[in-house]
Amino acid sequence: MKKLQIGLFLLFFSPVLQADTLVILERSGTLSFTHLLIQNLHNKQLPESVHFGYVDAVYSSLPPDVKTTALEVYKSAILLSAGINESTPIQKIISQGSGPARFLENHPELFSQAERYFTHIAWQPHTGTLIPSDVNVMENIHHLTTLFPNKTHLLLIGNPITSANELVNIDTDIKTISPSLNRVSNIDYRNVSKEVTELTLKTKDMVALITHPPEILAEQRSLIWLKSQSIPILFLFANPVDLEEYKTVGGLVVDPLKIANLIQFLANSPEVLPEPYEV
């Protein structure tokens, strides 16, 4: 009887052990956005069982062989920045952005017992649950293309891994919602000047829709070249900081506070349903 009383006391009065959660944030090309996101997360005063690691946005653009070579470097950076090691009992992983998501997809063995939740991406992962946003990509593309009704040639610019083709159907969808367009070209973000020049078409008819603001030097050079050709530039995904820095227009403007709210919700919820979330 005494043992039963002790057991009941421990059951009802012992502190509940909270499962550890690893949040992997994307250190974006625009560090101001990353800083705003981190600041908002710190203001949430999440429990000590929530650990924050980082993956640079440039990871998405690395060739496959470089990703393989750099595996241990990226993994060590995540663990070191999060203050954990491979024996930490991580039960839930939340990724924000394409860089961390691609890293997790490439390495399913990392904390393989943990549930994975992917946020702030526009493609379907295979090693966890996508928490989709409530945005309509095609609706936003239609809005952006109507800003330049006299342009007939759309340049869809992305990198080969996170390409614009993952987001839209070139032949059907865009021409259906934007009848003024009679040509759509898929362009590698890193080789814009070369590929556009090879088209041997008039640049005055072109408008560029870029998946995201530049994250590496080659993408930065592409943006400069587009501006030198007086080709209007639109970002499909951006944030207020990017729009101010590059003096351009964005379609799906991401709010760091809303991303922080989503991460807080996922970290604190014992059960999560993959429902659309406002970002």
Side-chain angles (χ1 to χ4, degrees), residues 130-143:
L130 171 65
I131 306 299
S133 68
D134 63 347
V135 298
N136 185 319
V137 172
M138 295 309 301
E139 197 174 277
N140 278 271
I141 290 176
H142 173 62
H143 170 70

Side-chain angles (χ1 to χ4, degrees), residues 7-49:
L8 289 173
F9 176 84
L10 292 174
L11 176 64
F12 288 107
F13 297 100
S14 296
V16 177
L17 295 177
Q18 193 163 11
D20 284 63
T21 296
L22 172 60
V23 178
I24 307 180
L25 302 176
E26 181 173 66
R27 189 179 281 112
S28 69
T30 307
L31 287 176
S32 299
F33 177 81
T34 306
H35 293 156
L36 285 172
L37 176 57
I38 295 169
Q39 182 180 356
N40 282 312
L41 285 167
H42 285 166
N43 291 340
K44 302 293 182 185
Q45 296 183 330
L46 292 165
E48 292 184 2
S49 57

